[in-house]
Amino acid sequence: RERGTAVMLVTHDMGVIAETADRVAVMYAGRLVEIGPTAEILRSAAHPYTRGLMAAIPTMRRRGDDDLLQIPGSMPRPDAPVAGCAFHPRCSEALERCQVERPPSFQLGASQASCWLAEGPR
């Protein structure tokens, strides 16, 4: 802040984000899916991909032989874009419209999420 500069971290580790960033932008398959103040996103993530990343954070409560939670499926190929929401093939909460309509960005307090689930009241 003193020098008027910023640092951009690229990581899948939401634990690192929680400790180092004031704001977070979550991307999936080259699309911005959620953005806002880190504390707000961590407290009430609206996009299922963001929640999946947070569920994969290792904790001291997990034993060494416990597997970390993983999001099922795999990323879409860059040369084969997915219609609708790019995350819908891997999303356990996907709606029918997720397959055909790309969701716009919905304002949620100080953050925004591109997810049809964020359209309604929270």
Side-chain angles (χ1 to χ4, degrees), residues 39-102:
E40 185 172 316
I41 300 289
L42 294 178
R43 183 176 51 255
S44 58
H47 198 281
Y49 179 63
T50 307
R51 291 195 300 267
L53 289 176
M54 290 173 33
I57 297 172
T59 66
M60 295 301 288
R61 287 177 269 164
R62 284 199 178 112
R63 298 175 186 232
D65 55 347
D66 288 345
D67 289 336
L68 288 177
L69 297 174
Q70 295 183 15
I71 299 170
S74 58
M75 292 281 299
R77 293 178 27 179
D79 63 342
V82 176
C85 174
F87 189 62
H88 87 264
R90 301 177 72 187
C91 183
S92 62
E93 302 175 59
L95 307 170
E96 279 189 37
R97 75 188 301 183
C98 299
Q99 297 175 33
V100 293
E101 292 181 70
R102 185 173 176 174

